Amino acid sequence: MTKPWPVPDIDPDASVVTTARAILAVRAGELFSYDAVFPDAKAVAALHNARIAAKRLRYTLELFPEVFGEDGEAVLADMKALQEDLGIVHDRDVLIASIERRLGTLIDEHEAGTDAVRASLEIVLARVQKERRTRHRAVAAQWKRLAGGDFRTRLERLVGGHAIPTAPVE
Amino acid sequence: MQASEGMRCVGKRDGRDAELAPAGFDEAMQALIAERWRDVWKAMPDPAQLTDPEAIHAVRVASRRLRAAMDVATDAFPQRWYRRLHKEAKAITGEFGDLRDADVMLETLRAERETAPEAEHAGLDDLIAQQERVRARALAEVRRYVKRLRKRRVRQEARRRFPRPSRSQRKALRQAIATEGAAQ
């Protein structure tokens, strides 16, 4: 799992509202850094990390509901949907890897009866790969809709005067 | 609520509930982290009840939420005890990870087996059998971990460092945050 981007210069004595907005700005920057990853069907690990970034943004909104109010809830709903769809892609990726590993083992084993299992697994694999392609297209379209719409503007409103970073700031 | 080492009272001024000034980040995180530790222990099943996938999922979700809170509060709590508890929070998510992954995979495979054409049955049955073995190993690991967690008295330490604020203190804190948020 990738480490979360650090939130620089947190002042424990600063108000929770100011600090929560600064944290949200960093989490938003972290998610936007995956912009080029969403359309890339082959980016298995990076898509998983994008899902984690969406989850971190979601948890920040959930941590301070009084700060972000109804606008925060709307972004939260977008994040839940994105995270859910990315989760389905990830589950397909895990299953594909598991089937491929198993097929590799069966080829090595050459045990009686494994031919039927192998043939069946190859059918399963082909179906799951096809589903994965469909699911990924849905995720890419979902992100395009978010990024092309007012998602960023809504986040900018939520973070107040804080800039959304484009890279981690130590 | 008695303030312990490394914490301040939430929502109190001069020993009584008071009209709150804008909430400081450390005060707010003290209360939020206390809530999230409480959620983790509430979700944590007895080692004997670890077979329920929903219970495993609940622990994972609660520990992730706890981590999200603790990750952003490290500057507010520079003490060593905080780093230890933060590490424990990360460990809970990690230790339950393999078991949760196995549950997700098994649930998916079993659901697919229900509707899959016959040509896929042998393959799916093979994967389910494999995954059941993976889950059994992961379950044994988690059982050992939960026992270790109890022995090390992490729950008691978390409760000592992050005592739960009273209902009125939590309400006052939420109001103070909402008021300040609306004013900005």
Side-chain angles (χ1 to χ4, degrees):
Chain A
M1 190 193 295
T2 55
K3 279 191 169 183
W5 286 10
V7 183
D9 304 325
I10 283 189
D11 175 3
D13 294 323
S15 87
V16 63
V17 173
T18 305
T19 314
R21 288 177 175 164
I23 295 165
L24 188 70
V26 173
R27 296 291 170 257
E30 207 173 335
L31 180 66
F32 282 117
S33 75
Y34 290 98
D35 184 50
V37 167
F38 285 101
D40 184 356
K42 288 180 186 163
V44 173
L47 281 166
H48 179 49
N49 290 336
R51 177 177 167 231
I52 292 168
K55 210 178 264 190
R56 285 185 182 133
L57 179 55
R58 175 186 166 185
Y59 287 164
T60 303
L61 291 163
E62 285 176 345
L63 196 55
F64 307 106
E66 294 86 2
V67 175
F68 300 118
E70 282 179 18
D71 291 345
E73 279 173 32
V75 173
L76 192 61
D78 287 333
M79 284 304 91
K80 277 184 188 169
L82 181 67
Q83 188 198 321
E84 205 166 289
D85 286 353
L86 280 165
I88 295 170
V89 171
H90 177 64
D91 288 349
R92 299 287 90 180
D93 283 333
V94 172
L95 184 53
I96 288 167
S98 171
I99 297 169
E100 285 173 343
R101 260 197 317 275
R102 184 64 182 140
L103 279 169
T105 324
L106 288 174
I107 288 166
D108 292 342
E109 280 177 5
H110 291 299
E111 281 174 22
T114 57
D115 284 354
V117 173
R118 218 167 63 200
S120 178
L121 279 174
E122 275 162 3
I123 295 168
V124 177
L125 180 62
R127 173 183 50 84
V128 175
Q129 284 170 331
K130 192 178 166 193
E131 284 169 4
R132 200 272 188 193
R133 284 194 291 274
T134 310
R135 291 295 189 169
H136 173 261
R137 277 198 294 273
V139 164
Q142 194 184 357
W143 177 251
K144 197 177 168 186
R145 202 168 50 244
L146 280 176
D150 65 348
F151 181 59
R152 193 183 179 99
T153 314
R154 285 190 285 138
L155 273 168
E156 278 168 350
R157 261 204 309 271
L158 286 175
V159 303
H162 298 277
I164 295 176
T166 52
V169 180
E170 293 298 333
Chain B
M1 181 177 69
Q2 289 296 308
S4 69
E5 186 195 337
M7 68 161 291
R8 298 198 314 218
C9 283
V10 175
K12 286 207 168 188
R13 296 289 184 272
D14 303 317
R16 60 186 166 76
D17 286 355
E19 293 293 316
L20 279 184
F25 180 64
D26 57 350
E27 283 179 302
M29 293 315 294
Q30 174 78 50
L32 289 172
I33 293 170
E35 284 289 299
R36 272 149 187 79
W37 268 114
R38 186 173 164 270
D39 291 344
V40 167
W41 301 125
K42 219 168 136 186
M44 186 74 70
D46 279 342
Q49 291 170 331
L50 276 166
T51 45
D52 178 10
E54 284 310 309
I56 306 302
H57 182 46
V59 175
R60 282 270 290 176
V61 171
S63 70
R64 276 186 189 282
R65 292 204 162 117
L66 170 64
R67 280 179 60 184
M70 293 195 83
D71 283 350
V72 295
T74 50
D75 289 348
F77 301 95
Q79 300 91 332
R80 193 180 296 166
W81 61 259
Y82 185 87
R83 287 196 293 277
R84 274 201 304 270
L85 281 176
H86 192 187
K87 210 171 151 186
E88 294 288 359
K90 287 180 192 171
I92 294 170
T93 318
E95 294 286 345
F96 279 77
D98 287 348
L99 185 53
R100 173 64 189 156
D101 289 348
D103 281 337
V104 170
M105 180 73 97
L106 270 173
E107 193 185 357
T108 304
L109 290 170
R110 285 176 182 145
E112 292 196 350
R113 177 65 171 77
E114 293 284 309
T115 55
E118 209 176 323
E120 293 189 13
H121 286 185
L124 288 169
D125 289 344
D126 181 75
L127 290 172
I128 289 168
Q130 273 239 313
Q131 211 53 43
E132 280 169 345
R133 287 194 290 274
V134 170
R135 189 187 193 278
R137 281 197 298 272
L139 178 60
E141 282 292 319
V142 168
R143 281 212 169 109
R144 278 195 288 273
Y145 171 71
V146 173
K147 281 180 191 165
R148 282 202 308 273
L149 198 63
R150 285 181 166 191
K151 236 182 211 172
R152 293 205 319 274
R153 302 178 66 79
V154 176
R155 182 179 192 155
Q156 289 79 356
E157 173 69 355
R159 198 180 281 167
R160 189 166 79 89
R161 300 297 188 180
F162 292 101
R164 192 172 185 229
S166 70
R167 185 177 293 181
S168 63
Q169 287 167 341
R170 292 198 303 275
K171 194 177 164 194
L173 179 70
R174 280 196 296 272
Q175 275 174 354
I177 296 171
T179 307
E180 193 199 341
Q184 281 195 15

